[in-house]
Amino acid sequence: MNADLHRPSLLVRPAGDICCIGIIGEGKMGSNIFNYLLDFDFTLVWICSQDADPEGLQKGFLKKISRKLATGIITKEQFHTKKTGITITKNLNAAAACDLIIEAIPEIPEKKQAIFQRLDVITRTDCLFTSNSSSINPGGMIPSEARKQTFAGLHFFYPVGLKNIVEITFPETASDETRMKLYKFCDNIQRKFLVLNEKNSFILNRIFLDFQNEAYQLVKNGHISMKNLDELVRNNFFPFGVFDFMDSVGLDTMLSAIKNYIADYPHQDYFSSLINELNEKISQGYLGQKSGQGFYPLPQDEKTDSFTDQENIVYHLRQTFYSSAKRFTLQSHASLDEMNHAIREYFGLEKGPFEI
């Protein structure tokens, strides 16, 4: 899927193959990307943090491919190829032979920049650098002049195997060859994609942020309780609520992402109440599920109160969702079919906002 330009077919020479992929980070996204790519014929180098347990990760990997061998999903030859073609290590130097790097460490710009600066020295100059960041534009992470043409955002969604959509964000300096290689890579791993630039990046998260912010305002202004709001959202919109989603992501992560998203918005005060609420909870140590409490204490009391204004609230949120989806679709130059698919995959819906 291409939302920013048509794929050049005759004007650009065929892209080279990507054979060896380095995945940086063993967190939820790093491990999910690794496990998804494991089903394809790549040499993988999984580079973990100094706090990680490579031996434990290696055991988990071997257990997975052994189970596939036992059930006939892969042959003995494929088992041997995967067993010998995978490296799991803390040593960043192992990335030296990679054709593509996918960075998936926490959303801290300084740490991402530091990783790419080290990789700049270690890897070949034709190695593609990509970041799985969900809120930081790739242009700010380019480590040197030599990497300007080979750097991009490659934003997968969790879980990768079930979310058939990737956002590819190109800085203006990205070369046509880099674009073609990443288009081909996404085709090879059977993932559809939106092509974005840094002015309209992360549009799926931005659509949801508008919805989250409006939902928060409804609760803050006393129109509905938080638990009732989440139940209403689960029953009428998405498989998850607004506040339990923020708790699962982490309130500190949410706050950083929101600040990145709205950095160039002309009306940032629209989000100030939500930002202030997140700041206050974080200052009290309430980070969400990882700290045991966020918007909700954990475990949650599932009981909800009755309320009578459900129809109007659903209508209001539906208009917010549609208006935001329309605005970002126009900004990204995506087709309605592309955005319907992307939004269906992102939110887990049967229909997109522009489908009857």
Side-chain angles (χ1 to χ4, degrees), residues 15-168:
D17 288 334
I18 291 172
C19 299
C20 181
I21 301 173
I23 301 160
I24 316 295
E26 75 282 1
K28 182 169 74 172
M29 283 308 302
S31 59
N32 208 236
I33 293 169
F34 170 81
N35 282 301
Y36 181 73
L37 296 181
L38 193 59
D39 288 335
F40 299 88
D41 293 329
F42 297 113
T43 298
L44 299 179
V45 181
W46 192 9
I47 300 173
C48 308
S49 68
Q50 294 304 308
D51 297 327
D53 176 19
E55 291 185 3
L57 295 173
Q58 182 78 20
K59 289 178 181 177
F61 150 67
L62 290 173
K63 183 177 180 180
K64 180 177 180 179
I65 62 171
S66 295
R67 187 164 55 245
K68 289 187 175 185
L69 175 63
T71 55
I73 296 175
I74 60 175
T75 65
K76 288 183 179 180
E77 183 180 356
Q78 289 172 320
F79 174 84
H80 177 74
T81 299
K82 291 183 181 296
K83 183 177 179 181
T84 57
I86 304 298
T87 301
I88 303 176
T89 178
K90 295 181 182 181
N91 187 356
L92 199 63
N93 291 324
C98 289
D99 305 304
L100 168 67
I101 297 292
I102 304 174
E103 168 271 312
I105 68 172
E107 296 287 277
I108 303 172
E110 297 77 13
K111 289 190 175 182
K112 292 178 182 288
Q113 291 163 357
I115 285 287
F116 284 119
Q117 286 167 1
R118 293 175 62 193
L119 287 167
D120 190 25
V121 178
I122 294 167
T123 59
R124 303 188 315 271
T125 55
D126 64 340
C127 175
L128 301 187
F129 282 7
T130 67
S131 174
N132 185 64
S133 175
S134 60
S135 66
I136 304 169
N137 274 326
M141 292 179 273
I142 298 174
S144 67
E145 187 72 22
R147 301 288 177 174
K148 283 188 174 181
Q149 294 190 8
T150 56
F151 204 108
L154 194 65
H155 182 208
F156 293 88
F157 292 90
Y158 184 88
V160 177
L162 298 180
K163 301 288 186 181
N164 186 8
I165 187 64
V166 180
E167 291 178 332
I168 310 178

Side-chain angles (χ1 to χ4, degrees), residues 76-330:
K76 288 183 179 180
E77 183 180 356
Q78 289 172 320
F79 174 84
H80 177 74
T81 299
K82 291 183 181 296
K83 183 177 179 181
T84 57
I86 304 298
T87 301
I88 303 176
T89 178
K90 295 181 182 181
N91 187 356
L92 199 63
N93 291 324
C98 289
D99 305 304
L100 168 67
I101 297 292
I102 304 174
E103 168 271 312
I105 68 172
E107 296 287 277
I108 303 172
E110 297 77 13
K111 289 190 175 182
K112 292 178 182 288
Q113 291 163 357
I115 285 287
F116 284 119
Q117 286 167 1
R118 293 175 62 193
L119 287 167
D120 190 25
V121 178
I122 294 167
T123 59
R124 303 188 315 271
T125 55
D126 64 340
C127 175
L128 301 187
F129 282 7
T130 67
S131 174
N132 185 64
S133 175
S134 60
S135 66
I136 304 169
N137 274 326
M141 292 179 273
I142 298 174
S144 67
E145 187 72 22
R147 301 288 177 174
K148 283 188 174 181
Q149 294 190 8
T150 56
F151 204 108
L154 194 65
H155 182 208
F156 293 88
F157 292 90
Y158 184 88
V160 177
L162 298 180
K163 301 288 186 181
N164 186 8
I165 187 64
V166 180
E167 291 178 332
I168 310 178
T169 302
F170 291 113
E172 291 182 358
T173 55
S175 69
D176 287 337
E177 184 176 8
T178 293
R179 294 170 186 263
M180 288 298 294
K181 283 184 177 181
L182 289 179
Y183 300 158
K184 183 178 180 181
F185 170 68
C186 287
D187 285 341
N188 286 343
I189 64 170
Q190 302 168 18
R191 296 296 84 175
K192 294 184 178 180
F193 55 93
L194 286 172
V195 178
L196 307 170
N197 59 47
E198 294 191 310
K199 292 182 180 179
N200 59 38
S201 55
F202 313 116
I203 56 174
L204 297 175
N205 283 350
R206 292 177 193 268
I207 291 169
F208 192 30
L209 174 58
D210 282 356
F211 189 95
Q212 290 169 307
N213 188 67
E214 200 62 30
Y216 171 76
Q217 298 300 329
L218 289 170
V219 172
K220 182 176 182 291
N221 293 328
H223 296 292
I224 185 173
S225 72
M226 184 171 64
K227 286 186 178 181
N228 282 338
L229 187 285
D230 271 359
E231 182 180 40
L232 180 147
V233 169
R234 286 190 292 266
N235 290 339
N236 293 276
F237 293 95
F238 316 128
F240 42 79
V242 166
F243 296 97
D244 58 20
F245 177 88
M246 288 194 278
D247 277 355
S248 68
V249 170
L251 303 194
D252 51 343
T253 302
M254 279 296 308
L255 179 61
S256 296
I258 291 171
K259 288 181 176 179
N260 289 329
Y261 296 146
I262 70 171
D264 59 353
Y265 281 14
H267 304 294
Q268 295 185 21
D269 55 342
Y270 174 63
F271 299 92
S272 60
S273 293
L274 177 57
I275 288 174
N276 291 339
E277 179 78 18
L278 291 169
N279 271 319
E280 183 176 349
K281 288 190 177 298
I282 291 167
S283 69
Q284 296 172 343
Y286 299 158
L287 305 180
Q289 291 180 6
K290 59 187 173 184
S291 70
Q293 184 166 343
F295 281 101
Y296 289 109
L298 302 175
Q300 292 183 33
D301 179 1
E302 295 298 326
K303 183 179 179 181
T304 56
D305 303 319
S306 60
F307 63 103
T308 58
D309 204 24
Q310 177 172 336
E311 186 175 339
N312 287 333
I313 290 175
V314 169
Y315 176 81
H316 179 74
L317 290 175
R318 200 173 299 283
Q319 289 301 112
T320 298
F321 181 47
Y322 178 80
S323 297
S324 183
K326 181 179 179 181
R327 182 173 82 256
F328 285 110
T329 299
L330 291 172

